[in-house]
Amino acid sequence: ALLAVRPPTGRLRWALSGRSAAKLRPLAARCKTAPGVLQAEGAEDLAKLAAACRVLIAAAGPYSRIGEDAVKACVQQGTHYVDVTGEVPWVKDMITKYHQAAQTKGVMVVHFLGQVCTIDEVCCYLLAKKLGPLKQFREYFCQFGGSSGGTQETSVASMEDMTQEVLSVMEDPFSLGGQRKGGVRDEDKNCTKAVQDPLYPSMWLQPAYSTTSGSRAIRRSCQLFEDFPSDGITYGESVCVTIREGATSQKVAEKAIDGMKTPASVEAARAAAKM
């Protein structure tokens, strides 16, 4: 958004890219910064696109279906990569496939950018930087608004493509790494039951928009900082990461949990995709 409204400084140039240049040109015309327009229809085009830029921002999903080619192209071409996904199983797959190669080449692959995780990440990072190793990171998240069409499509796609392996990743609080000495505690797990908050008993806890992706992103960062101790950041060897939204009653919290809980089985997920 800033690139669209704020003139680039120095020699910075940027462009919009997608499958249809004709659809992108009207969008580019509304920007105050005159971006270029580049058409990219497949893996070959993405490789050329990645080779022509220093940073590629992938903002279209479902990433589990169309996102890997961009990651692969960036790692191969030595281009930094950023996305706005919230798809934890897909991110785990990308880490497994490309983390080592990206690290060797000095390529930054940044998943979960934007509202889905950045707020959580920045808050925890600043606390650890200021206070040192933490015993817990407890976040109460609240937001208003609806989901975009892309988010809804991603939700349906994740249910349609569900496998037992993906389901296991969704249920594992440390699926992206960052296991702590305290093991897996109840507070680490997905929120599946309405409970009163231990610090504010008048509030009942339910999953927040960023509970799944945000907590796992923080745990991933926790591990990465431990892998590179020269950065001087330590989140805590037993830090417990909990992200929840508060509800005014048990009934409200239970209703939210029912709508946001991980499917009980692959069959249940695929049935939900048809609703």
Side-chain angles (χ1 to χ4, degrees), residues 86 88 112 114-121 137 139-143 190 206-219 241-245 260:
V88 172
F112 298 131
Q115 186 178 2
V116 71
C117 289
T118 298
I119 299 170
D120 321 305
E121 278 266 53
F137 173 78
E139 177 184 313
Y140 300 94
F141 185 98
C142 183
Q143 72 169 20
N190 293 339
Q206 65 185 52
Y209 172 73
S210 59
T211 288
T212 302
S213 52
S215 60
R216 285 156 178 78
I218 290 174
R219 295 177 189 124
V241 178
T242 306
I243 302 174
R244 299 287 188 265
E245 183 167 345
M260 299 176 69

Side-chain angles (χ1 to χ4, degrees), residues 89-101 111 165 175-176 220:
W90 179 77
V91 170
K92 178 177 173 59
D93 192 31
M94 295 302 98
I95 291 170
T96 300
K97 291 181 177 180
Y98 301 108
H99 172 72
Q100 192 59 54
H111 300 293
E165 181 181 2
S175 57
L176 302 185
R220 172 71 178 167

Side-chain angles (χ1 to χ4, degrees), residues 1-2 7-8 17 27 39-40 56 81 107 109 124 194 224 253:
L2 288 176
S17 180
L27 179 61
Q39 186 159 315
L56 188 150
Y81 169 91
V107 174
V109 178
C124 191
L224 291 174

